[in-house]
Amino acid sequence: RQVVAHISCLSSPSISNVTHSSTSSTLSAAVKTIATHHDPQKLIKLLAAALESRILHLNICIKALRNDRISDDAEKFMCDGLTERIPCVPLHDIQESEGNSTLIHNLSTLFRSIISVDWLVNSLATVVKAACQRSNDAGVGLGRSEREWKKEISSKSFENLINQLSLLHRSALAEVCKVRTEPDYDQRELVRNRRST
């Protein structure tokens, strides 16, 4: 969210998400209903696989935007150098031109990928919360369904997914912090805030 807030015209990370979308809200409600009334292990497995795929795609989008200027050694931080390729203006002020067509395409692809990862993470969290609530409501005895979803979130592949998400989060925060410590950041933020009101 912080990367989206920084490179869009939104100044607050708390409002830079897609939860206002009726489509997103409807799908989220459906995911929660399925997790509450059916086997959460299958849904966790499906969402985790989709999330792994979207994280790979996000990494490709980031590399495309950076023009692969970062060596493989620097891959430990996925977002490293990302904001250097983005003009220091709100996105709606980027003029469409032949010279900017690749930049605009790569930014829009990046945003779609970030939104997909964000929605999948929220859906996965919703399923795990619903499964926990269902287990608490069922009492102390663990049925097969409860054992299976707990086994899934304890697996090595799920741990790797959480590690990838943690890396993405840390690298996005580091990149935003780097930009927000630039000497002219405060002035740009004042201009951006005036335009959004």
Side-chain angles (χ1 to χ4, degrees):
R1 288 185 180 171
Q2 285 80 2
V3 171
V4 173
H6 176 72
I7 59 180
S8 69
C9 62
L10 301 172
S11 60
S12 173
S14 64
I15 62 172
S16 62
N17 58 44
V18 292
T19 56
H20 66 277
S21 164
S22 61
T23 304
S24 174
S25 298
T26 302
L27 288 172
S28 295
V31 166
K32 184 174 183 176
T33 301
I34 292 168
T36 303
H37 299 292
H38 300 287
D39 185 5
Q41 185 260 346
K42 291 178 183 173
L43 199 50
I44 290 171
K45 205 172 206 167
L46 286 171
L47 287 169
L51 196 47
E52 285 177 7
S53 170
R54 295 316 300 169
I55 289 172
L56 286 174
H57 184 261
L58 177 59
N59 204 15
I60 291 168
C61 294
I62 291 169
K63 286 179 181 181
L65 191 61
R66 285 190 315 219
N67 267 343
D68 287 321
R69 294 177 318 120
I70 306 297
S71 70
D72 284 338
D73 294 337
E75 283 301 309
K76 61 182 178 183
F77 288 118
M78 293 172 77
C79 296
D80 193 35
L82 179 63
T83 55
E84 294 170 15
R85 294 281 301 138
I86 300 168
C88 294
V89 297
L91 290 179
H92 62 272
D93 284 346
I94 297 176
Q95 299 297 317
E96 191 170 346
S97 68
E98 198 170 305
N100 281 341
S101 65
T102 301
L103 173 66
I104 291 170
H105 170 75
N106 288 342
L107 278 173
S108 64
T109 304
L110 175 70
F111 279 139
R112 284 192 305 270
S113 189
I114 289 172
I115 288 168
S116 295
V117 168
D118 184 53
W119 186 83
L120 287 167
V121 166
N122 287 327
S123 295
L124 185 59
T126 298
V127 171
V128 171
K129 286 177 194 173
C132 287
Q133 183 63 42
R134 189 171 144 182
S135 289
N136 288 340
D137 291 346
V140 263
L142 286 179
R144 181 191 162 284
S145 178
E146 284 75 23
R147 283 192 306 270
E148 292 301 318
W149 76 261
K150 287 180 179 181
K151 190 188 310 182
E152 185 64 38
I153 65 170
S154 301
S155 69
K156 189 68 175 166
S157 63
F158 197 83
E159 180 185 348
N160 290 338
L161 176 64
I162 297 300
N163 288 339
Q164 286 179 315
L165 289 170
S166 296
L167 173 64
L168 175 62
H169 180 73
R170 287 190 314 270
S171 67
L173 284 178
E175 190 67 12
V176 169
C177 289
K178 185 170 56 175
V179 169
R180 289 186 176 199
T181 58
E182 292 175 353
D184 57 344
Y185 173 77
D186 290 333
Q187 184 61 35
R188 288 194 324 260
E189 189 65 13
L190 285 173
V191 170
R192 185 168 75 165
N193 284 332
R194 274 189 242 136
R195 287 186 180 179
S196 65
T197 56

